[in-house]
Amino acid sequence: TGGHTTEILRLLSCLSESYSPRHYVLADSDKMSEAKIRSFEQKRAETFSESQFTLDRIPRSREVRQSWISSVVTTLHSILYSLPLTYKRKPDLILCNGPGTCVPVCISAFLLGLLRIKRTIIVYVESICRVETLSLSGKILYYFSDYFIVQWPDLKKKYPKSVYLGRIV
């Protein structure tokens, strides 16, 4: 929601029309992002007439200030919703940037790859706001992503698997 959506839409604005259809996954309680995405896609359709997208919702994996113990339960619940969705969509690429919703989707895609159902490339872009430490999503997805992009050199030093590209959003 909010800043994460703005950052991901900035990244998507740089992608060619070959990245279609796009499948957005939102937390079921997120109303603000849907409006931003629809506005973005409407503008994109003016340039790329064949542009296609879908919006899917899953239960929120973690609320702000939610306890760690209950977060495990709600994240598992979100993974159970994400598995059939990921199986149905069978994405080639997941591009995500940090909201908790991306964790169950990425874990679902990772599991489908382990089961040899569908191999999905996972690209995680840590938020520009994360200067010295990773977000919780980043700490988890550092181990599951194929490409882990950071926007600050100090993070590259701390996390050697990461790719530092400078500011990209």
Short mmCIF file of all heavy atoms in Angstrom, two decimals, residues 40-70:
data_model
loop_
_atom_site.label_atom_id
_atom_site.label_comp_id
_atom_site.label_asym_id
_atom_site.label_seq_id
_atom_site.Cartn_x
_atom_site.Cartn_y
_atom_site.Cartn_z
N PHE A 40 -2.77 3.72 -13.23
CA PHE A 40 -1.53 3.42 -13.94
C PHE A 40 -1.80 2.62 -15.21
O PHE A 40 -1.30 2.94 -16.29
CB PHE A 40 -0.58 2.63 -13.02
CG PHE A 40 0.62 2.07 -13.72
CD1 PHE A 40 1.73 2.86 -14.00
CD2 PHE A 40 0.66 0.73 -14.10
CE1 PHE A 40 2.84 2.33 -14.64
CE2 PHE A 40 1.75 0.19 -14.74
CZ PHE A 40 2.84 1.00 -15.02
N GLU A 41 -2.63 1.59 -15.09
CA GLU A 41 -2.92 0.73 -16.24
C GLU A 41 -3.74 1.45 -17.30
O GLU A 41 -3.57 1.20 -18.49
CB GLU A 41 -3.62 -0.55 -15.78
CG GLU A 41 -2.70 -1.52 -15.07
CD GLU A 41 -1.63 -2.13 -15.98
OE1 GLU A 41 -1.78 -2.13 -17.22
OE2 GLU A 41 -0.63 -2.62 -15.44
N GLN A 42 -4.59 2.35 -16.88
CA GLN A 42 -5.36 3.14 -17.84
C GLN A 42 -4.42 4.01 -18.67
O GLN A 42 -4.55 4.09 -19.90
CB GLN A 42 -6.39 4.00 -17.11
CG GLN A 42 -7.32 4.75 -18.03
CD GLN A 42 -8.39 5.52 -17.23
OE1 GLN A 42 -8.41 5.53 -16.02
NE2 GLN A 42 -9.28 6.16 -17.96
N LYS A 43 -3.47 4.65 -18.03
CA LYS A 43 -2.48 5.47 -18.75
C LYS A 43 -1.59 4.60 -19.63
O LYS A 43 -1.25 4.99 -20.75
CB LYS A 43 -1.62 6.26 -17.76
CG LYS A 43 -2.37 7.37 -17.07
CD LYS A 43 -1.51 8.07 -16.04
CE LYS A 43 -2.35 9.05 -15.24
NZ LYS A 43 -1.67 9.51 -14.03
N ARG A 44 -1.22 3.43 -19.13
CA ARG A 44 -0.37 2.52 -19.90
C ARG A 44 -1.09 2.05 -21.17
O ARG A 44 -0.47 1.89 -22.21
CB ARG A 44 0.03 1.34 -19.03
CG ARG A 44 1.06 0.43 -19.67
CD ARG A 44 1.59 -0.58 -18.68
NE ARG A 44 2.47 -1.52 -19.30
CZ ARG A 44 3.77 -1.38 -19.41
NH1 ARG A 44 4.36 -0.33 -18.91
NH2 ARG A 44 4.50 -2.30 -20.01
N ALA A 45 -2.39 1.85 -21.09
CA ALA A 45 -3.18 1.39 -22.24
C ALA A 45 -3.20 2.43 -23.36
O ALA A 45 -3.40 2.07 -24.52
CB ALA A 45 -4.59 1.04 -21.80
N GLU A 46 -2.98 3.69 -23.01
CA GLU A 46 -2.91 4.73 -24.05
C GLU A 46 -1.68 4.55 -24.93
O GLU A 46 -1.69 4.90 -26.10
CB GLU A 46 -2.90 6.11 -23.40
CG GLU A 46 -4.20 6.45 -22.68
CD GLU A 46 -4.10 7.71 -21.84
OE1 GLU A 46 -3.05 8.40 -21.88
OE2 GLU A 46 -5.07 8.00 -21.10
N THR A 47 -0.61 3.99 -24.35
CA THR A 47 0.63 3.76 -25.09
C THR A 47 0.66 2.36 -25.69
O THR A 47 1.05 2.17 -26.83
CB THR A 47 1.85 3.94 -24.16
OG1 THR A 47 1.78 5.23 -23.57
CG2 THR A 47 3.15 3.80 -24.93
N PHE A 48 0.28 1.38 -24.88
CA PHE A 48 0.29 -0.02 -25.31
C PHE A 48 -1.14 -0.53 -25.36
O PHE A 48 -1.70 -0.94 -24.34
CB PHE A 48 1.12 -0.87 -24.34
CG PHE A 48 2.52 -0.39 -24.13
CD1 PHE A 48 2.94 0.04 -22.88
CD2 PHE A 48 3.43 -0.36 -25.17
CE1 PHE A 48 4.24 0.48 -22.67
CE2 PHE A 48 4.73 0.07 -24.98
CZ PHE A 48 5.13 0.50 -23.73
N SER A 49 -1.72 -0.54 -26.53
CA SER A 49 -3.14 -0.89 -26.66
C SER A 49 -3.44 -2.34 -26.30
O SER A 49 -4.56 -2.67 -25.91
CB SER A 49 -3.63 -0.59 -28.08
OG SER A 49 -2.88 -1.34 -29.02
N GLU A 50 -2.45 -3.22 -26.41
CA GLU A 50 -2.66 -4.63 -26.10
C GLU A 50 -2.37 -4.94 -24.63
O GLU A 50 -2.34 -6.10 -24.23
CB GLU A 50 -1.75 -5.50 -26.98
CG GLU A 50 -2.00 -5.33 -28.48
CD GLU A 50 -3.39 -5.81 -28.89
OE1 GLU A 50 -3.80 -6.89 -28.43
OE2 GLU A 50 -4.04 -5.09 -29.66
N SER A 51 -2.15 -3.93 -23.83
CA SER A 51 -1.80 -4.10 -22.43
C SER A 51 -2.90 -4.82 -21.67
O SER A 51 -4.07 -4.46 -21.77
CB SER A 51 -1.53 -2.72 -21.83
OG SER A 51 -1.04 -2.85 -20.53
N GLN A 52 -2.50 -5.84 -20.89
CA GLN A 52 -3.47 -6.62 -20.11
C GLN A 52 -2.99 -6.74 -18.67
O GLN A 52 -1.79 -6.85 -18.43
CB GLN A 52 -3.61 -8.02 -20.68
CG GLN A 52 -4.13 -8.07 -22.10
CD GLN A 52 -4.14 -9.50 -22.61
OE1 GLN A 52 -4.12 -10.46 -21.84
NE2 GLN A 52 -4.14 -9.64 -23.92
N PHE A 53 -3.94 -6.76 -17.74
CA PHE A 53 -3.59 -6.94 -16.34
C PHE A 53 -4.77 -7.55 -15.59
O PHE A 53 -5.90 -7.51 -16.04
CB PHE A 53 -3.17 -5.62 -15.70
CG PHE A 53 -4.31 -4.69 -15.37
CD1 PHE A 53 -4.82 -4.63 -14.08
CD2 PHE A 53 -4.88 -3.89 -16.36
CE1 PHE A 53 -5.87 -3.77 -13.78
CE2 PHE A 53 -5.93 -3.03 -16.06
CZ PHE A 53 -6.42 -2.97 -14.77
N THR A 54 -4.44 -8.15 -14.45
CA THR A 54 -5.45 -8.66 -13.54
C THR A 54 -5.11 -8.18 -12.13
O THR A 54 -3.96 -7.85 -11.83
CB THR A 54 -5.51 -10.20 -13.53
OG1 THR A 54 -4.24 -10.70 -13.08
CG2 THR A 54 -5.85 -10.76 -14.90
N LEU A 55 -6.11 -8.18 -11.29
CA LEU A 55 -5.96 -7.86 -9.88
C LEU A 55 -6.47 -9.05 -9.07
O LEU A 55 -7.59 -9.51 -9.30
CB LEU A 55 -6.77 -6.62 -9.49
CG LEU A 55 -6.27 -5.28 -9.97
CD1 LEU A 55 -7.33 -4.21 -9.75
CD2 LEU A 55 -5.00 -4.89 -9.24
N ASP A 56 -5.64 -9.55 -8.19
CA ASP A 56 -6.05 -10.64 -7.31
C ASP A 56 -5.80 -10.22 -5.87
O ASP A 56 -4.90 -9.42 -5.60
CB ASP A 56 -5.24 -11.91 -7.62
CG ASP A 56 -5.58 -12.48 -8.98
OD1 ASP A 56 -6.74 -12.87 -9.18
OD2 ASP A 56 -4.68 -12.55 -9.84
N ARG A 57 -6.58 -10.77 -4.98
CA ARG A 57 -6.45 -10.43 -3.56
C ARG A 57 -6.20 -11.69 -2.74
O ARG A 57 -6.77 -12.75 -3.03
CB ARG A 57 -7.71 -9.73 -3.08
CG ARG A 57 -7.90 -8.38 -3.74
CD ARG A 57 -9.05 -7.61 -3.12
NE ARG A 57 -9.13 -6.28 -3.68
CZ ARG A 57 -8.43 -5.23 -3.27
NH1 ARG A 57 -7.58 -5.35 -2.28
NH2 ARG A 57 -8.58 -4.05 -3.84
N ILE A 58 -5.35 -11.52 -1.73
CA ILE A 58 -5.11 -12.59 -0.77
C ILE A 58 -5.23 -11.98 0.63
O ILE A 58 -5.14 -10.76 0.78
CB ILE A 58 -3.72 -13.25 -0.95
CG1 ILE A 58 -2.59 -12.24 -0.72
CG2 ILE A 58 -3.61 -13.92 -2.32
CD1 ILE A 58 -1.21 -12.85 -0.65
N PRO A 59 -5.43 -12.81 1.63
CA PRO A 59 -5.47 -12.26 3.00
C PRO A 59 -4.13 -11.61 3.35
O PRO A 59 -3.07 -12.09 2.95
CB PRO A 59 -5.71 -13.50 3.88
CG PRO A 59 -6.29 -14.52 2.95
CD PRO A 59 -5.70 -14.24 1.60
N ARG A 60 -4.21 -10.52 4.09
CA ARG A 60 -2.99 -9.81 4.50
C ARG A 60 -2.17 -10.74 5.39
O ARG A 60 -2.68 -11.35 6.32
CB ARG A 60 -3.35 -8.54 5.25
CG ARG A 60 -2.14 -7.68 5.57
CD ARG A 60 -2.53 -6.36 6.19
NE ARG A 60 -3.18 -5.45 5.25
CZ ARG A 60 -2.55 -4.63 4.43
NH1 ARG A 60 -1.23 -4.60 4.40
NH2 ARG A 60 -3.22 -3.83 3.63
N SER A 61 -0.89 -10.83 5.10
CA SER A 61 -0.04 -11.74 5.86
C SER A 61 0.38 -11.16 7.20
O SER A 61 0.59 -11.91 8.16
CB SER A 61 1.19 -12.13 5.05
OG SER A 61 1.94 -11.00 4.70
N ARG A 62 0.50 -9.84 7.27
CA ARG A 62 0.91 -9.23 8.53
C ARG A 62 0.43 -7.80 8.59
O ARG A 62 0.63 -7.03 7.65
CB ARG A 62 2.43 -9.28 8.66
CG ARG A 62 2.93 -8.74 9.99
CD ARG A 62 4.43 -9.00 10.15
NE ARG A 62 4.85 -8.62 11.47
CZ ARG A 62 5.32 -7.41 11.79
NH1 ARG A 62 5.44 -6.48 10.87
NH2 ARG A 62 5.68 -7.15 13.03
N GLU A 63 -0.18 -7.44 9.68
CA GLU A 63 -0.58 -6.05 9.93
C GLU A 63 0.57 -5.31 10.60
O GLU A 63 1.43 -5.93 11.24
CB GLU A 63 -1.81 -5.99 10.84
CG GLU A 63 -3.06 -6.61 10.26
CD GLU A 63 -3.70 -5.79 9.16
OE1 GLU A 63 -3.34 -4.61 8.99
OE2 GLU A 63 -4.57 -6.34 8.46
N VAL A 64 0.59 -4.01 10.45
CA VAL A 64 1.58 -3.20 11.14
C VAL A 64 1.42 -3.42 12.65
O VAL A 64 0.31 -3.46 13.16
CB VAL A 64 1.39 -1.70 10.79
CG1 VAL A 64 2.35 -0.83 11.58
CG2 VAL A 64 1.58 -1.49 9.30
N ARG A 65 2.53 -3.62 13.32
CA ARG A 65 2.60 -3.85 14.77
C ARG A 65 1.97 -5.18 15.22
O ARG A 65 1.69 -5.36 16.40
CB ARG A 65 2.00 -2.69 15.56
CG ARG A 65 2.78 -1.39 15.43
CD ARG A 65 2.20 -0.35 16.35
NE ARG A 65 2.17 1.04 16.01
CZ ARG A 65 2.10 1.66 14.85
NH1 ARG A 65 2.08 0.98 13.77
NH2 ARG A 65 2.06 2.95 14.72
N GLN A 66 1.72 -6.08 14.30
CA GLN A 66 1.19 -7.39 14.67
C GLN A 66 2.31 -8.19 15.35
O GLN A 66 3.47 -8.11 14.95
CB GLN A 66 0.69 -8.13 13.43
CG GLN A 66 0.07 -9.47 13.71
CD GLN A 66 -0.46 -10.12 12.45
OE1 GLN A 66 -0.58 -9.50 11.40
NE2 GLN A 66 -0.76 -11.41 12.54
N SER A 67 1.98 -8.99 16.34
CA SER A 67 2.98 -9.79 17.05
C SER A 67 3.61 -10.81 16.10
O SER A 67 3.00 -11.25 15.13
CB SER A 67 2.35 -10.50 18.24
OG SER A 67 1.56 -11.58 17.81
N TRP A 68 4.85 -11.18 16.42
CA TRP A 68 5.58 -12.13 15.58
C TRP A 68 4.89 -13.48 15.55
O TRP A 68 4.80 -14.11 14.49
CB TRP A 68 7.02 -12.29 16.08
CG TRP A 68 7.81 -11.03 15.97
CD1 TRP A 68 8.15 -10.18 16.99
CD2 TRP A 68 8.32 -10.44 14.78
NE1 TRP A 68 8.85 -9.10 16.49
CE2 TRP A 68 8.97 -9.24 15.14
CE3 TRP A 68 8.29 -10.80 13.43
CZ2 TRP A 68 9.59 -8.40 14.23
CZ3 TRP A 68 8.91 -9.96 12.52
CH2 TRP A 68 9.54 -8.79 12.91
N ILE A 69 4.41 -13.93 16.68
CA ILE A 69 3.78 -15.25 16.77
C ILE A 69 2.54 -15.30 15.89
O ILE A 69 2.38 -16.23 15.10
CB ILE A 69 3.40 -15.59 18.23
CG1 ILE A 69 4.62 -15.49 19.10
CG2 ILE A 69 2.67 -16.91 18.31
CD1 ILE A 69 5.25 -16.76 19.54
N SER A 70 1.67 -14.32 16.03
CA SER A 70 0.45 -14.34 15.22
C SER A 70 0.76 -14.07 13.74
O SER A 70 0.02 -14.52 12.87
CB SER A 70 -0.58 -13.33 15.75
OG SER A 70 -0.11 -12.01 15.62
#
